[in-house]
Amino acid sequence: MLRSFHLYLFAALLIGLWLTNPFEERQPPVSTPVVNLPFDRHQPVQLNLSSAPEVRFNEYDLTLLAEFSIDARVLGREDYSLGREAELSPWDFALGWGEMAQPEVAKQFEIRQSGRWYYWRADTLPIPRRQIETSSANMHLIPASQQVRDRLEQIKEHDQLRLRGFLVEARGDDGWRWRSSLSRNDTGNGACELILVTEVL
């Protein structure tokens, strides 16, 4: 009877270790300057950097182009595990601010994300098209620490998200590049933000 109890105890211990995975590699934090930009629900806040420092993230060099903060509604979220970009950014968040963050406006849109793009459609536009284009964007998020990664993993569609970080250009050792847009007024290829996220509130 005692032997059976020990076997059950050993099996429970193995299951507990498997579920918690204490040997899982945790992401070391990336050392960056502190971003103290305020949050504005009407629009993202950005401060371009005149001298762009670089930080190392895994096998990539990240050039910090601008400090960035945003207070926005999550219109959609897409997770990625395949492709070069996923090594840096495991998710895209389609974010809306200003009028696009209002629930009565956001609920009138059908949101779709695919291939690192964000698509929207609505039977009737609740606000002008140009306002939609300049009040929402698909943003590629790079977690600067394991804590940030864990927080972003919990974010769901319709959540209100506040984050700070840096718009960056990523470069691989083989010359591969991925650069953030520095404007909220552009559309199409190259218009997405690539953000090294240092803080999630």
Side-chain angles (χ1 to χ4, degrees), residues 1-21:
M1 184 72 176
L2 186 59
R3 184 176 179 180
S4 297
F5 172 76
H6 286 160
L7 287 174
Y8 283 125
L9 185 61
F10 182 68
L13 180 61
L14 287 179
I15 292 172
L17 288 173
W18 177 73
L19 290 174
T20 57
N21 195 7

Side-chain angles (χ1 to χ4, degrees), residues 89-159:
S89 170
W91 338 264
D92 283 357
F93 283 44
L95 299 179
W97 53 91
E99 288 295 315
M100 285 295 288
Q102 300 301 318
E104 63 274 13
V105 172
K107 70 180 181 181
Q108 299 185 53
F109 290 92
E110 177 184 328
I111 304 297
R112 184 172 64 86
Q113 292 166 274
S114 177
R116 296 288 183 175
W117 288 73
Y118 145 59
Y119 306 90
W120 57 265
R121 68 173 301 277
D123 293 333
T124 303
L125 296 186
I127 57 177
R129 175 179 292 272
R130 185 56 180 161
Q131 191 173 355
I132 298 168
E133 294 172 345
T134 58
S135 300
S136 64
N138 192 49
M139 301 197 175
H140 316 304
L141 306 184
I142 304 171
S145 67
Q146 187 64 47
Q147 181 182 24
V148 168
R149 178 184 288 270
D150 292 343
R151 293 291 299 274
L152 289 173
E153 285 285 9
Q154 299 171 12
I155 301 298
K156 305 180 298 298
E157 187 177 340
H158 308 308
D159 284 350

Side-chain angles (χ1 to χ4, degrees), residues 32-41 43-49 64-71 161-167 182 184 195-201:
T32 66
V34 176
V35 178
N36 291 313
L37 292 181
F39 292 106
D40 185 342
R41 285 208 167 190
Q43 61 185 353
V45 180
Q46 178 176 319
L47 176 63
N48 292 344
L49 299 176
L64 309 184
L65 305 174
E67 295 184 9
F68 188 77
S69 71
I70 187 170
D71 184 347
L161 174 62
R162 303 171 82 196
L163 61 82
R164 292 188 177 102
F166 296 90
L167 301 179
L182 295 177
R184 311 294 86 74
I195 310 170
L196 176 65
V197 181
T198 59
E199 183 180 14
V200 180
L201 301 175

